[in-house]
Amino acid sequence: MSTTGSPKYGRTYNVVSKTLRSRGVAVAVAIAAPTVASLGFFWYRHWAEGTPDMVRIELAGSADTIRKIIKSYPGRYVDALHADFRLILSYVIATVAGASLGWSLSFTQAARRLSLLAMGAGIVAALCDVGEDLALLHVIEHGGENGFAVVAQGLAFTKFVLLMPAAVVALVAVVTTLWRARPRRLRTYGRPSTANPGHDELPWCPVGANDDRLAHEPNSSEGVRRSAWRTNTYLPPSRRAEPGRDADTIGICVSGGGIRSATFALGALDALRPVLKKARYLVSVSGGGYCAGALQLALQRNRPEELTPEGFESVANPDDVYSGGSAELDHTRRHGNYIADDAKQWLVALGAVLRGVVVSVGTLVLTVVVLGRLLAHLYASLSGDVLKTPWPPLPGVQRTIGLLAAPFLLAWLGGVWLDSCERRACVRLRRWFARVRRYVVATALLVAVAGIGVPLLAWTGGWITSPRAVPLGSIALVVVGWLSALIGVGQRPASRKIFAGLRRAWGATVGSRQRSITAAVAVFAGLLVIVIGLLLLLGNVIATTGAASVTTRSWPWLKEWQVTAIAAAAFGVIAVADQVRWSLHPFYRRRLATAFAVRRERREGRVRAERYDYDNVRTTLHEYAGVCADFPRVIFLCAAHVSGQELTPPGRQVVPWTMSGDYVGSPVLGWMPSKALHDEIPPLLRYDLTVQAAQAISGAAFASQMGRMQRPITRLLTLTNVRLGSWLPNPDYLGRRRAELREGNGSMPWWLPAMPRRRYLVTWARELIGSYPADGPLVFVTDGGHYENLGLVELLRHRCRYICCIDGSGDRPNVARTLAQAVELAYEELGVTIELDHPERLSAGHEGPQRPPPDQLLGELEDRLAQDCTIIGRITYPDLGPDLPKENGYLVIGKAVLTRATPFEVLAHATGNPSFPNDSTADQWFDFTRFDAYHTLGRHVGKSVLSAMKNRPFPSGLSLP
């Protein structure tokens, strides 16, 4: 698929795009646009010589004031207004030409839409300028009344509000065009890899290509009706160089839940080793990814570059990897507190959080300082009166906002009138009316913010006239953000300690509900303080900028321009730095590797667990996540965030994303082989295409966006930089670049943008505002639990006929909510129906109507016991065509619950731990007692699942011992 043609923008876009994608034409337009604007400006300055107060006249808003200005400063005002018409023509040509470059050469829909809006804003600003000049001519030549002066004021203010952002967009497009048109040497990582034959036929599917996929479906109405299910079932087919993701017999999925689920899954998979050796896929989510990644890394043999002078040998195999008593299991058990164990590690962890808060708040403060000073100088160049009289606002601004209601109402009435008309012309006109309404509302908001909001903010900031407001306020924001983030991230553990002290002091009984409420109040309070504090700082900077006495009194060795230059330089350094490396993701990835990235090695006759050298051994997916003999392919399930409702329903905003040794991607965003993806991206981005990074990303529970688990704390995490997850290359973007490369006969088109070398400040800004375009170069990927926390839907996407689900999620004891969500999602997205056999047996308090008298131990746990830890389900796959016929399968679910058959030592542990086996995922600190209890429970549940699988019909050709 090529991006040369765009059905959304029609024939005009295709013609303009084809013309401007000629390097010579594009460079000529890029040079001509600022040249025309400069000529128009110098022409205007020549005829406006001696009239230094034209802007003041435009924003005067009073005929008497205009006459006083003309009387005080005689000049050629009428000639200047006539010359302004030539200036209008010049800046319209420059803005439209510059924005047309962005419209034609942009590679994403958002950039094209922004360029199109800039063209429209430039034209509307020119119309406002013409109306303003006509009104001023009437006032100057004929002594018009105040009404014309007020109209001129409103039109002039609207002109500036629309023209300045449009000019910025056009200027950026011009600079970008000249930058791409320069002679450049294509970096090796920028060109698609051809070392592996078959990479020229990468299986990728562009966003919104559902119509193309329908062409491959049966022509029956049934196939068309189920097109959405078929689209979501799309997996990479077999290629010459890469095996596909074909449907297979057995699949295992392990759920999310942090170290709780990881420990439980290690025990369950140990008991399920006969099934594990015959399974084709092992899908892991979050904490399940810790477990699956640990098993995968423990099975890796040493590469030649990893051998040390003394030499060692990896000796683990699928028959005994992470088995009871193994060196690697003992290592993980000893590192249950992987985040922080001793005082030194606690200081490092708290320091990592503090570093993120300082960087985030520092970035926001620098943005406030630079933006505030620019706004202050901008308003001062227009008219100082705008900031001196915040209320009531300029009469022209009020009237403009009111007058904008007229076209809005006309467009609304027109849409209502045409609502019942189904003709093509009526439909187009109705869409045009809808666009007019949106643009009018946007213009009114811009005028209101610029004419009322900013002056009012500056007036409010004038209360904080102290020059120490910015540094002291910044320190206060750092402290508040750090404390509120710590409370928000570790809600239950932190609040438990706080309320334990209160209970000892006052003898009060405080439950978990009160702790949750207090944590939520702390999060909201912290978020509110940060937002209000930043707004007050912005108002203070605007109000104090230009007051030389303020700067010299605070910092006598600095001047105003030096303060602005230092802030702008610091902001520039932060803007070009990699934002992911300043988040908690690198720290989390490193700490996670200390517990779940080891190998069993024999050295000098002794067997021991040796950790991977984190700094020197990069566990790349295509090398370290390949298929091992007698072991399933490990697939890390994550969640990719996308904006809007084109790809996701409201409230979810995520699509599935998987990382494995063969492919990385999604059925919605496309797939790319892991090796090819690794070769085509810059070195810095390759750090997140490793097994250790996949473990961390799949378990990135606390992120700036949480998909279906979205909560208010996510905004706080973004503001304070206490966030996990990473930005990864978008297969759809790379696939479209490949399409352009094929159309260019192997040569990279000059206008084609390169992959970003790092995650710039714009990625953090997107997290802050919640904007995740599906066609951008990078996509934000977080915890797979934000999409589906069992991994069951991903195995159903692979149409496995026998699925074993290990559920260690922390559901409430009385309902298997995670399982219910997975069953519902499976039908919504894939059309797969699952019939569960007595799911209520997994819920606590359902041991059955007839129970023997419990002993003392079971009596204490009577309300927490379930009837069984294993249930059976029947899977029915829909008929999606000849290649995806209707099939049936079996599902066996083993859940972390307590039953009468649970081992005694686990029940004894549960009596002293009311939350077991549903400890909070936020609690990632496991001592040996909790590790042993969950691991033992996992082995018990695994044995129960194995027994249930032996008693059920098994796929032909396979058997279990």
Side-chain angles (χ1 to χ4, degrees), residues 404 407-416 429-444:
L404 286 174
F408 177 83
L409 291 175
L410 289 176
W412 177 72
L413 291 175
V416 172
L429 192 59
R430 191 162 60 242
R431 292 176 181 174
W432 186 83
F433 281 146
R435 292 194 190 100
V436 169
R437 293 198 301 270
R438 291 196 297 268
Y439 297 153
V440 168
V441 171
T443 303

Side-chain angles (χ1 to χ4, degrees), residues 9-26:
Y9 296 106
R11 186 179 303 174
T12 302
Y13 172 82
N14 298 334
V15 173
V16 175
S17 176
K18 184 177 180 180
T19 303
L20 291 180
R21 286 185 180 179
S22 170
R23 190 194 297 254
V25 174

Side-chain angles (χ1 to χ4, degrees), residues 414-652:
V416 172
W417 180 53
L418 297 173
D419 190 39
S420 60
C421 181
E422 298 298 333
R423 295 180 180 178
R424 181 175 300 180
C426 295
V427 172
R428 291 180 178 177
L429 192 59
R430 191 162 60 242
R431 292 176 181 174
W432 186 83
F433 281 146
R435 292 194 190 100
V436 169
R437 293 198 301 270
R438 291 196 297 268
Y439 297 153
V440 168
V441 171
T443 303
L445 288 176
L446 285 175
V447 173
V449 170
I452 301 176
V454 174
L456 186 61
L457 189 62
W459 178 73
T460 306
W463 291 349
I464 316 173
T465 55
S466 172
R468 298 179 179 83
V470 174
L472 293 180
S474 303
I475 295 174
L477 290 179
V478 168
V479 174
V480 171
W482 186 51
L483 293 177
S484 57
L486 288 177
I487 295 175
V489 170
Q491 286 183 9
R492 291 188 179 181
S495 58
R496 186 184 299 118
K497 296 177 181 179
I498 295 174
F499 282 102
L502 293 177
R503 188 164 54 249
R504 287 193 298 268
W506 292 295
T509 301
V510 184
S512 60
R513 183 176 181 82
Q514 287 81 354
R515 292 195 299 267
S516 300
I517 292 175
T518 302
V521 169
V523 169
F524 277 111
L527 186 61
L528 192 62
V529 168
I530 292 175
V531 172
I532 293 178
L534 289 173
L535 290 176
L536 291 178
L537 286 179
L538 178 61
N540 175 260
V541 172
I542 296 175
T544 57
T545 297
S549 59
V550 173
T551 304
T552 56
R553 187 170 65 250
S554 307
W555 306 287
W557 59 90
L558 289 177
K559 298 180 180 179
E560 284 285 339
W561 69 269
Q562 292 174 332
V563 174
T564 305
I566 293 173
F571 180 80
V573 171
I574 293 176
V576 298
D578 188 81
Q579 300 300 311
V580 172
R581 301 191 72 177
W582 279 350
S583 68
L584 283 183
H585 171 65
F587 168 80
Y588 179 53
R589 183 178 59 194
R590 178 182 289 271
R591 296 305 306 166
L592 200 60
T594 62
F596 296 97
V598 297
R599 279 185 287 206
R600 188 197 310 169
E601 298 171 351
R602 179 182 289 115
R603 182 180 301 182
E604 298 177 354
R606 180 186 175 188
V607 177
R608 56 178 294 180
E610 187 71 21
R611 286 194 306 187
Y612 279 79
D613 189 344
Y614 182 85
D615 296 314
N616 298 319
V617 178
R618 190 175 300 177
T619 57
T620 53
L621 285 171
H622 62 278
E623 292 178 327
Y624 287 82
V627 176
C628 301
D630 295 328
F631 195 78
R633 175 174 295 283
V634 174
I635 300 175
F636 298 94
L637 176 62
C638 310
H641 296 259
V642 294
S643 302
Q645 299 179 14
E646 295 183 2
L647 300 177
T648 60
R652 184 173 296 158

Side-chain angles (χ1 to χ4, degrees), residues 825-847:
L825 185 63
Y827 180 78
E828 290 177 356
E829 301 227 335
L830 306 175
V832 178
T833 58
I834 300 177
E835 298 178 4
L836 298 175
D837 185 13
H838 300 292
E840 70 278 357
R841 295 165 64 92
L842 297 178
S843 301
H846 291 81
E847 305 95 320

Side-chain angles (χ1 to χ4, degrees), residues 205 209-210 213-214 217 225-236 646-649 652 654-658 665-671 787 793-799 824-832 878 880 884:
C205 49
N210 293 349
R213 297 178 202 173
L214 285 177
E217 296 182 2
R225 185 175 70 86
R226 299 183 174 184
S227 59
W229 291 346
R230 184 177 177 87
T231 297
N232 291 327
T233 313
Y234 177 76
L235 294 171
E646 295 183 2
L647 300 177
T648 60
R652 184 173 296 158
V654 290
V655 296
W657 177 278
T658 60
S666 164
V668 178
L669 300 178
W671 304 90
Y787 170 74
V793 175
E794 192 61 30
L795 281 181
L796 296 174
R797 198 185 317 277
H798 289 74
R799 296 177 77 89
E824 182 181 15
L825 185 63
Y827 180 78
E828 290 177 356
E829 301 227 335
L830 306 175
V832 178
L880 300 180
L884 296 174

